Amino acid sequence: MKNLCLILLFFLMQTVSGQNQATTTLYLIRHAEKADFSSNPELSDAGMKRAKSWAAYFEKTPIDLFYTTMYKRTQQTCSAIAATKQKDIIFYKPEAMDLKKIIAENPGKTLLIVGHSNTIPNYINKLLGTAKYADIPEPEFRNLYRITVTGEEIWDELIHL
């Protein structure tokens, strides 16, 4: 009986301390290389190759939801990955993206968000409440940001692939 009480006490302590809370993971990437500098270009050949590389990178990563802007370059980057998972894409307006809201609406899920050189770092900075990440330089397309959220705890990581 004493052992059963200790096990129950341990379980209650874990629950109260938040160890059993759902973990939400966000992956954020910039669109791949664009074909030109027009207002809404498609991906270049190098961009299509990079989009396929992203798909290969995420091949064994379960992703529940995919978010992208309405621009051709972000859609093409995101669809290369989402197609391998047979998932639909959710479109968002760059000015309306709110990571706190997305996290609250999707506890325990894994999401991929494709955006732009100036939006991705800003979304993360807003979530963190600090200016940790600068805009992504124009020739840089290999940044992967991973945000992990459990309860009130937020971990962020920038991975250069």
Side-chain angles (χ1 to χ4, degrees):
M1 183 69 170
K2 184 177 180 181
N3 286 342
L4 180 59
C5 289
L6 288 174
I7 291 170
L8 287 173
L9 180 62
F10 177 74
F11 176 75
L12 288 172
M13 288 174 60
Q14 281 187 326
T15 303
V16 170
S17 69
Q19 292 182 10
N20 288 336
Q21 293 179 351
T23 297
T24 304
T25 304
L26 284 72
Y27 293 100
L28 298 99
I29 61 173
R30 176 188 185 191
H31 60 78
E33 291 90 331
K34 52 192 174 183
D36 56 51
F37 289 97
S38 62
S39 63
N40 192 15
E42 295 190 2
L43 293 181
S44 66
D45 290 341
M48 293 301 287
K49 183 177 179 183
R50 185 173 308 275
K52 289 177 185 175
S53 293
W54 281 121
Y57 178 84
F58 286 110
E59 182 179 6
K60 295 185 192 250
T61 304
I63 300 175
D64 300 299
L65 299 167
F66 291 84
Y67 288 84
T68 189
T69 63
M70 293 294 291
Y71 292 92
K72 292 176 187 175
R73 59 193 178 272
T74 56
Q75 290 180 49
Q76 290 175 320
T77 303
C78 190
S79 65
I81 307 162
T84 66
K85 309 281 187 194
Q86 300 177 351
K87 299 278 185 169
D88 292 330
I89 296 172
I90 300 166
F91 294 99
Y92 71 90
K93 294 181 180 179
E95 66 278 4
M97 174 54 78
D98 182 346
L99 293 184
K100 286 182 183 178
K101 182 179 177 188
I102 294 289
I103 292 164
E105 292 173 347
N106 297 287
K109 293 191 177 178
T110 300
L111 299 83
L112 176 72
I113 300 170
V114 180
H116 304 272
S117 62
N118 59 338
T119 61
I120 293 294
N122 289 327
Y123 299 151
I124 299 167
N125 290 341
K126 185 176 177 185
L127 175 69
L128 299 176
T130 184
K132 181 173 182 176
Y133 297 107
D135 287 355
I136 303 168
E138 183 53 40
E140 182 62 52
F141 296 92
R142 59 189 182 96
N143 290 357
L144 169 63
Y145 301 85
R146 180 173 41 210
I147 308 295
T148 307
V149 181
T150 304
E152 298 297 317
E153 297 290 325
I154 301 173
W155 298 272
D156 63 289
E157 178 180 18
L158 169 57
I159 304 164
H160 296 283
L161 299 174

